[in-house]
Amino acid sequence: MKIGLIGFGGMGKTHAYAVNNLKYFYSPVGFDAEIAGVCCRNFENARNAAETYGLGKAYKSLDDMLSDDSIDIIDICTPNVFHYEELKAAINAGKHIYCEKPLCTTASEAAEIAAMAKENGLVCAVVFNTRFMLPVMRAKELIDAGRIGTPLSFCGRFYHSSATEPGKNAGWKQNKDICGGGVLFDLGSHTIDLIRWLCGEFESVSGLYQIAYPERLGQNGEKWKTNAEEAFYMTARLKNGACGTISVGKIMPGTNDDHSFEIYGTCGSVKFNLMQPNFLEFYDSTKPESERGFTRIECCGRYPSPSGVFPGVKAPIGWLRGHVGSMYNFLSSVEHKSEPSPSFEDAARVQLIMEKAYISAENGTRETV
């Protein structure tokens, strides 16, 4: 499978790493895949990336890449506002697609893209890579097996400290004109996906956004008026009756990549924190009272087959491992022509939830999803 990579910032490098290292983590991989070309808005950047990282051909434009019949898959790692047009072009060219989240910047665009992909019989996945951290996969197994009973309550958080210094130049993900939203798009999409995947479909949401620093330095180093939320807080009710909160932000001093959840059910609970990626905490209410207590389940490198033993089942894992697993899941779906998960339909649903949360925050209403 020949992959054309669009964009080569931090996520472009991450995706290239994932493709190039599949053979070490999965044995046997079951398919052959390579980054065969790269395209950036600046051709020199594409050429440097191709030469430095061995990524095949540097394309001068997306059209050039899409017209190349040897390219089977388009991997989109560009800023959010460009996704919609790039996705449409790739679908019309008959390419399978792997796209960074969020899928688009509006729910209607995301729904249109998901429908187009389905109508054209293409294998298309969105990158919700935290799903592929082993403790999260283990939590899914326990919940689906009924080990915590019926979910009753949840708390999902994703905290960064990257926007705590107004004297530091803002990044494009803080600029609504490029990101399409604020921290809800950037971090909240991940947390919403996890709660939806683990606990069930959303019924209604209520949102509150926060801008702590109305004025900061912009991307060019000059004074700039903040145009996107720096934190977002949400309450949600699921269709199964579970209720909980989701809070995300980049104004939390002392945090790094603090993505966590707690899910409480009628028979037990699970807890996870990305900063402790090797363990899942599990509480079993069915045990005798004298034996109860949260148990730390060792996850480490114990990924399901055909994951190999590299670097070892007891070796600690890190953030990149989730991206390797996500890429393997997508490419396996392309190889077997099966529906990937998370799919574009999953991404469209997350987009709708975020849009309803924004409407709620603007109008002070509770919005039905």
Side-chain angles (χ1 to χ4, degrees):
M1 292 179 276
K2 306 283 188 182
I3 302 168
L5 183 59
I6 310 175
F8 201 70
M11 294 319 302
K13 291 179 181 178
T14 300
H15 289 203
Y17 171 93
V19 173
N20 290 340
N21 287 279
L22 287 172
K23 57 184 175 291
Y24 297 106
F25 292 95
Y26 293 89
S27 180
V29 176
F31 51 80
D32 292 321
E34 65 175 346
I35 305 291
V38 61
C39 175
C40 301
R41 286 184 129 18
N42 183 316
F43 177 67
E44 284 304 311
N45 291 345
R47 183 162 63 184
N48 289 339
E51 293 176 354
T52 302
Y53 297 93
L55 302 180
K57 179 181 178 181
Y59 291 87
K60 291 186 176 180
S61 69
L62 175 58
D63 287 340
D64 287 345
M65 180 180 281
L66 294 177
S67 63
D68 187 342
D69 292 337
S70 71
I71 296 294
D72 307 298
I73 295 166
I74 297 297
D75 185 340
I76 298 176
C77 295
T78 54
N80 307 338
V81 294
F82 303 121
H83 287 187
Y84 176 63
E85 294 298 336
E86 292 167 346
L87 286 162
K88 281 203 302 183
I91 291 171
N92 287 329
K95 310 293 187 183
H96 303 297
I97 306 171
Y98 190 61
C99 183
E100 267 298 330
K101 57 76 207 167
L103 189 62
C104 298
T105 58
T106 70
S108 60
E109 288 177 350
E112 178 188 347
I113 290 299
M116 282 182 65
K118 190 166 189 135
E119 289 167 6
N120 285 272
L122 299 171
V123 178
C124 298
V126 69
V127 185
F128 287 132
N129 53 287
T130 313
R131 282 197 191 192
F132 299 94
M133 298 301 292
L134 186 51
V136 180
M137 297 167 71
R138 189 60 50 80
K140 175 70 170 172
E141 290 176 354
L142 291 171
I143 293 170
D144 287 353
R147 296 295 300 279
I148 72 164
T150 302
L152 296 175
S153 180
F154 57 85
C155 174
R157 294 178 293 268
F158 205 159
Y159 293 158
H160 279 193
S161 58
S162 53
T164 57
E165 301 175 37
K168 178 183 175 182
N169 288 19
W172 70 262
K173 291 184 179 181
Q174 294 169 260
N175 186 343
K176 188 176 181 179
D177 295 337
I178 304 175
C179 186
V183 71
L184 182 61
F185 271 14
D186 187 30
L187 304 182
S189 54
H190 280 295
T191 308
I192 291 169
D193 175 68
L194 283 188
I195 296 300
R196 179 175 173 267
W197 187 55
L198 294 170
C199 297
E201 196 57 78
F202 281 57
E203 180 181 273
S204 64
V205 296
S206 178
L208 175 70
Y209 68 83
Q210 179 182 18
I211 294 177
Y213 302 99
E215 189 175 90
R216 57 169 65 243
L217 294 184
Q219 290 174 270
N220 61 1
E222 298 179 0
K223 283 189 177 180
W224 176 69
K225 185 177 180 180
T226 305
N227 65 5
E229 83 281 355
E230 298 167 325
F232 200 98
Y233 312 94
M234 182 194 308
T235 60
R237 180 186 295 275
L238 306 187
K239 289 186 176 181
N240 58 16
C243 297
T245 62
I246 292 173
S247 57
V248 296
K250 295 185 176 182
I251 53 173
M252 287 69 178
T255 59
N256 291 287
D257 205 23
D258 290 29
H259 195 190
S260 63
F261 61 76
E262 301 169 8
I263 300 170
Y264 304 97
T266 54
C267 298
S269 311
V270 289
K271 296 181 182 180
F272 168 74
N273 190 325
L274 184 58
M275 296 304 290
Q276 298 290 332
N278 297 289
F279 300 96
L280 175 71
E281 293 190 61
F282 173 53
Y283 183 91
D284 188 351
S285 300
T286 65
K287 287 185 174 182
E289 190 170 344
S290 61
E291 298 176 13
R292 292 179 191 172
F294 273 98
T295 300
R296 294 179 77 202
I297 299 175
E298 296 177 353
C299 297
C300 302
R302 300 175 177 90
Y303 275 76
S305 177
S307 181
V309 295
F310 176 82
V313 295
K314 294 183 180 296
I317 59 171
W319 175 82
L320 279 169
R321 186 62 180 84
H323 273 284
V324 175
S326 178
M327 183 65 74
Y328 175 80
N329 176 72
F330 165 67
L331 293 175
S332 294
S333 297
V334 175
E335 174 69 14
H336 299 292
K337 298 180 175 59
S338 59
E339 180 72 10
S341 178
S343 67
F344 274 13
E345 290 179 336
D346 291 316
R349 191 65 183 175
V350 170
Q351 196 88 45
L352 176 62
I353 294 166
M354 293 191 296
E355 189 162 292
K356 292 290 187 176
Y358 274 133
I359 293 171
S360 167
E362 286 292 335
N363 299 332
T365 54
R366 181 158 203 90
E367 294 294 319
T368 299
V369 180

